[in-house]
Amino acid sequence: MQQSPETIFLNGSVLTVDPNDQECQAVAVCGNRISFVGTTEEARKRIGVEDKVIDLAGRSLLPGFNDAHCHFGYAGTAKLRAYVGYPEVRSVEDIKKVVAAWAAKTPKGQWIVGRGWDETKYPDRRRPTRWDLDEVAPDHLVFLTRTCGHMSVVNSKLLAAEGIDRNTPDPHGGMIERDSKGEPTGLLLEHSHIPLRVKTAPSVDLLDKGMDAVNQEFMQYGITSTADMSGRDVNEIRLFQKKIAGHQIQFRVYYAVRNSGPVTLGTDYVKTGLLTGYGSPWMRLGCFKAQMDGSGSGGSAAMWTPYPGSNHYTGILHMTQEELDRLVFQGHEAGYQVCVHAVGTKAIEMTLRSYERALRKIPRDNHRFRIEHCTFCDDSLADRIRDLGVIPVIGPAFLYWVGDGYIQKYHPEWLDWAVPARRLLDRGIIVAFHSDLPVVPCNPLPAIFAAVTRKTESGQDIGPAQKVTVREAIRAYTLAGAHGSFEEDIKGSIEVGKLADLVVLSGDILKVDPEEIKDLRGDLTMVDGKIRYQRKAQG
């Protein structure tokens, strides 16, 4: 019999996500570990005078969700700056109102930095331009990043300050959008806006406040682990450590270090001698990350063939094959798990080629190389992913939140390739799910709904052949994420001895109509055996 008080969950639909996908009724937690999994009748026999008993009343108890790719450090700062995200902002005119309000309280010549605009949500689907911003803030340095994070619009004053005019060439891996007369419109894509993102990185104080807000969101949604993929700012990583130690971040963090454009943190980390996995169950050093292309929702993913409406534009590659080969091999040779942001078919193909070359030079079992997003993936690419043992980390949340934009922009064939969960799972590939916060919201339940139904926010079908089951979606949002960080032996499923990271939903996710999955709520979140969030009773 156990010696310490337990928390005992009874009368539930417990989805263990163990090797047999066992469903049971009860779970007990002692300290920070799961101490029992079984029936309600068996669990009742364990109850002692000091134990806490929670009646699930038929609700689902799951392993805590693992958001396998997000940018939580930066996500929380968006609403502390000039926030221009949907649904608060629904048009270019709304953007102008937000910028005007910030201009009124910001000294001339200073920065106005914001994020979140998404033209696919606007009635006219028009992107903002520098001339729009000039109308309301001609004397400030205005820098507004799209929700995807891969392009920004700036005003004329900032273009001039950066020396960008009609004669400025596109940088390697970037593009300066121009009008029919050759004048920059203010839209800067990929490597043309990255230096400004580095220059306007949030302060430590702003990051600190933003992380508090994200922690609250994660606890509300039952997210108990994440992989942070920003990997560019040592101040951010120091703050992760400080706030975890102070219990202000209450979820577990697997953090990447990246090389991308002017960012060389990955190379700096290689020099330290530290390797993937260094740390504790709360915070571990993760992948050596490279970035190969742009955004699916923003229309800069690198594809094999031109985008609709163009005879030549196929998206934007951040680097050549040779440059990617060097980066991948650098991380692999040093002993890191390597991951590459690759959204479009061409970028995925080039990433797989680099992985093949690196593994031919230095074979390694259990390398668990990852492809971040892996959004547009056909059968031939899926076969190569399987053969190499690569982990695709994909975003069904994109289908729900920005899938309507995909339908507006892309060929029907591309929509069948998009977020290809069924195609990958049918090949026996371990697939992890992510949100990519702040690109889209981090709530896993609309993402699971989209994976199961393949419906967008407006109810349109998108690639219905790629539907998965509810159990498959839950596994991808729990155990597969733990596998992606080499931690499947300690978390990601409800098994005796594993970390007690759990979420209670407001209903039984296996019994509700699939259309209602997105409307379920997190009722309780437990991390490390402690209840971190409990939803207030309604009514």
Side-chain angles (χ1 to χ4, degrees):
M1 182 175 291
Q2 80 278 357
Q3 300 300 310
S4 301
E6 291 186 316
T7 300
I8 300 175
F9 298 89
L10 305 172
N11 299 317
S13 171
V14 179
L15 305 185
T16 63
V17 199
D18 70 6
N20 298 315
D21 247 344
Q22 177 186 193
E23 183 179 354
C24 61
Q25 300 167 321
V27 171
V29 171
C30 186
N32 71 341
R33 300 279 171 170
I34 296 165
S35 53
F36 165 82
V37 180
T39 67
T40 291
E41 183 180 357
E42 292 169 322
R44 287 193 187 281
K45 297 175 183 178
R46 304 174 64 88
I47 298 174
V49 294
E50 296 184 8
D51 292 339
K52 179 181 179 69
V53 178
I54 297 174
D55 186 353
L56 294 170
R59 294 171 294 171
S60 289
L61 175 67
L62 314 177
F65 292 119
N66 187 327
D67 189 333
H69 178 122
C70 78
H71 305 268
F72 79 85
Y74 279 65
T77 67
K79 291 191 177 181
L80 302 176
R81 296 172 129 181
Y83 184 64
V84 289
Y86 180 85
E88 291 90 336
V89 169
R90 297 171 179 263
S91 67
V92 172
E93 289 304 310
D94 286 348
I95 292 174
K96 289 159 65 174
K97 290 174 185 176
V98 172
V99 174
W102 276 82
K105 61 184 180 181
T106 304
K108 291 182 178 181
Q110 298 299 304
W111 287 89
I112 297 173
V113 179
R115 179 167 180 162
W117 58 271
D118 180 359
E119 78 286 354
T120 69
K121 305 288 189 183
Y122 307 159
D124 59 3
R125 299 176 187 170
R126 183 172 77 83
R127 288 175 170 172
T129 67
R130 64 178 170 116
W131 299 291
D132 293 310
L133 303 182
D134 291 347
E135 287 180 28
V136 291
D139 300 317
H140 295 79
L141 301 172
V142 184
F143 180 65
L144 303 180
T145 299
R146 192 181 183 277
T147 186
C148 62
H150 285 263
M151 57 194 69
S152 300
V153 63
V154 307
N155 66 346
S156 296
K157 187 175 180 68
L158 183 50
L159 282 178
E162 294 297 310
I164 298 173
D165 60 26
R166 63 183 297 121
N167 299 313
T168 305
D170 289 343
H172 177 47
M175 187 171 80
I176 300 167
E177 185 184 74
R178 304 164 201 272
D179 65 14
S180 59
K181 298 177 181 177
E183 290 292 334
T185 66
L187 188 68
L188 307 176
L189 292 84
E190 305 302 336
H191 279 189
S192 65
H193 90 138
I194 286 176
L196 285 169
R197 291 200 66 189
V198 173
K199 189 178 290 189
T200 59
S203 67
V204 172
D205 287 344
L206 204 61
L207 282 169
D208 196 336
K209 293 175 184 175
M211 286 183 196
D212 290 340
V214 172
N215 183 74
Q216 292 174 13
E217 274 195 83
F218 274 25
M219 293 303 97
Q220 176 184 347
Y221 296 137
I223 300 168
T224 60
S225 292
T226 194
D228 186 88
M229 287 290 162
S230 293
R232 62 165 66 91
D233 187 342
V234 292
N235 291 322
E236 182 184 38
I237 293 170
R238 289 192 192 105
L239 196 55
F240 292 168
Q241 186 171 348
K242 176 184 173 183
K243 293 182 79 66
I244 288 171
H247 307 292
Q248 296 162 299
I249 289 178
Q250 297 169 319
F251 50 89
R252 305 181 193 280
V253 180
Y254 187 71
Y255 69 99
V257 290
R258 79 155 76 188
N259 275 39
S260 175
V263 178
T264 59
L265 191 60
T267 295
D268 296 339
Y269 257 77
V270 165
K271 294 174 184 176
T272 68
L274 300 176
L275 294 175
T276 295
Y278 178 78
S280 74
W282 282 104
M283 181 175 175
R284 293 189 194 277
L285 174 57
C287 307
F288 180 99
K289 182 185 178 186
Q291 185 153 328
M292 196 58 213
D293 71 341
S295 158
S297 68
S300 55
M303 303 296 290
W304 283 324
T305 57
Y307 278 65
S310 173
N311 294 322
H312 64 277
Y313 178 72
T314 59
I316 298 175
L317 289 169
H318 281 216
M319 62 187 90
T320 65
Q321 183 71 63
E322 291 71 25
E323 290 168 330
L324 180 62
D325 288 351
R326 285 196 294 271
L327 267 186
V328 167
F329 188 71
Q330 180 186 13
H332 177 54
E333 183 181 35
Y336 277 74
Q337 179 190 31
V338 179
C339 70
V340 177
H341 166 119
V343 173
T345 49
K346 188 173 184 179
I348 295 169
E349 181 181 41
M350 293 172 72
T351 298
L352 291 170
R353 189 176 297 130
S354 286
Y355 285 170
E356 289 162 351
R357 290 172 176 174
L359 290 167
R360 276 200 298 270
K361 289 181 180 177
I362 303 179
R364 189 202 303 171
D365 292 334
N366 203 30
H367 53 79
R368 302 197 192 182
F369 288 171
R370 298 168 43 142
I371 297 180
E372 306 303 311
H373 311 309
C374 198
T375 304
F376 297 103
C377 175
D378 76 346
D379 287 335
S380 68
L381 294 173
D383 287 342
R384 290 173 67 181
I385 288 169
R386 175 199 60 209
D387 295 345
L388 277 173
V390 168
I391 301 169
V393 183
I394 67 176
F398 293 160
L399 300 174
Y400 184 76
W401 296 108
V402 296
D404 291 311
Y406 284 12
I407 292 169
Q408 293 171 20
K409 291 180 179 179
Y410 296 136
H411 302 292
E413 183 181 35
W414 293 10
L415 299 180
D416 179 62
W417 294 343
V419 192
R422 179 81 275 142
R423 177 175 290 118
L424 296 165
L425 288 171
D426 281 351
R427 287 165 168 78
I429 297 165
I430 293 174
V431 178
F433 283 175
H434 73 70
S435 72
D436 205 18
L437 182 78
V439 176
V440 296
C442 62
N443 184 352
L445 291 163
I448 291 173
F449 160 81
V452 171
T453 66
R454 299 294 294 200
K455 289 186 182 296
T456 69
E457 186 180 15
S458 72
Q460 295 189 83
D461 291 324
I462 180 168
Q466 300 305 315
K467 290 178 182 177
V468 301
T469 68
V470 174
R471 288 181 182 273
E472 287 171 329
I474 291 170
R475 182 173 290 269
Y477 240 124
T478 54
L479 188 61
H483 179 86
S485 59
F486 297 90
E487 295 176 291
E488 71 274 16
D489 290 337
I490 63 168
K491 67 183 185 181
S493 61
I494 299 176
E495 299 179 78
V496 172
K498 283 197 168 185
L499 291 166
D501 298 349
L502 306 168
V503 57
V504 177
L505 302 182
S506 58
D508 185 338
I509 194 169
L510 293 183
K511 291 182 178 178
V512 301
D513 187 297
E515 295 288 334
E516 297 174 7
I517 290 173
K518 65 183 182 302
D519 302 317
L520 291 172
R521 298 289 182 267
D523 275 357
L524 179 149
T525 301
M526 172 178 280
V527 187
D528 211 46
K530 296 182 175 64
I531 295 173
R532 309 288 185 170
Y533 169 82
Q534 199 155 8
R535 190 164 67 106
K536 294 179 181 178
Q538 303 300 299

